[in-house]
Amino acid sequence: MASTADSKPQLSTQQRVIDYVRRYGRVQPQDIAEEFDLGGVETLNVLTTLEEMGALRLVSGGDGVAAVPTGQSLCDPYTGTCI
């Protein structure tokens, strides 16, 4: 019999990245890649998608590009689902 922890739905990578960026405020792509065990291209694809959705912004700075939260709630008005 499966435990209740196994029956919980897993958060998508996008949801986990949004939570991570919101928690830490300014995060470099390589930190996200290490935290979520993603490759470089996959990390940039996730970050670019989230930026296009308005979930975060990619900003340039003295230490390269960083992801920063936008503070927007990402909810689909038709389905009512949020990420």
Side-chain angles (χ1 to χ4, degrees):
M1 184 172 186
S3 70
T4 56
D6 292 338
S7 63
K8 286 184 180 178
Q10 294 294 316
L11 294 176
S12 73
T13 300
Q14 289 181 346
Q15 290 171 317
R16 291 184 296 138
V17 169
I18 291 169
D19 290 342
Y20 188 78
V21 172
R22 286 180 179 160
R23 183 178 311 121
Y24 294 104
R26 184 179 183 95
V27 184
Q28 293 188 325
Q30 55 267 36
D31 296 331
I32 293 169
E34 290 174 14
E35 179 70 21
F36 300 105
D37 196 27
L38 301 172
V41 172
E42 187 178 5
T43 301
L44 292 177
N45 286 341
V46 168
L47 292 175
T48 302
T49 299
L50 292 174
E51 183 178 40
E52 289 171 356
M53 293 169 58
L56 54 79
R57 287 184 304 130
L58 296 175
V59 296
S60 297
D63 54 352
V65 174
V68 296
T70 60
Q72 289 182 264
S73 173
L74 297 177
C75 298
D76 184 329
Y78 299 105
T79 65
T81 57
C82 301
I83 63 168

